[in-house]
Amino acid sequence: MGTTSAYGYVNTANTVDGQLIQGLWDGDDAISIAPLGDKGTMLIGADGSALFSVSANRGATITLRLMHTSPTHRLLTQKLKRQQALASSVAAFPVTAFDTSSGEGGTGDKCFIQSAPTDSKGTNATVREWVLVTGEWNPEIPNG
């Protein structure tokens, strides 16, 4: 027998430096987390034997797509100025993305800004895409 569940963004807890992420752009990918690399590689020897090497890479990119009026856009702009001024690990900040219904998500305790958004003006408002990076993303195990 199948199970029925529901998803709603209101059942998520997403923060940058302890502050709720606000002013997200429209779409199904307003927040996305991607591993920095493969989780491992397979090597097949000349005789057909196999060896799998597990990667130690636990890094991830966290992409936030925000409106230009977003308080989080303002916060990240301030963090970018701090990161550029200090150029040290003191500028790192935590990020959390978590679905409270499914248990899916994770945290990065030491995140940095990898790329800042393009600032464009025209007929319509445009997305402000921030890409954050962490060397250690700690994913949660989703509920069963």
Side-chain angles (χ1 to χ4, degrees), residues 47-71:
D47 64 354
S49 59
L51 176 65
F52 185 76
S53 297
V54 176
S55 173
N57 183 346
R58 296 181 61 189
T61 58
I62 303 140
T63 303
L64 304 176
R65 293 169 183 86
L66 302 166
M67 293 185 277
H68 74 282
T69 56
S70 162

Side-chain angles (χ1 to χ4, degrees), residues 97-107 137-144:
F98 186 71
D99 183 331
T100 57
S101 296
S102 71
E104 185 178 47
T107 58
W137 180 255
N138 296 300
E140 296 292 329
I141 298 173
N143 303 334

Side-chain angles (χ1 to χ4, degrees), residues 119-132:
D119 181 3
S120 57
K121 308 286 190 264
T123 303
N124 295 305
T126 58
V127 67
R128 300 299 190 261
E129 185 173 286
W130 290 89
V131 179
L132 315 178

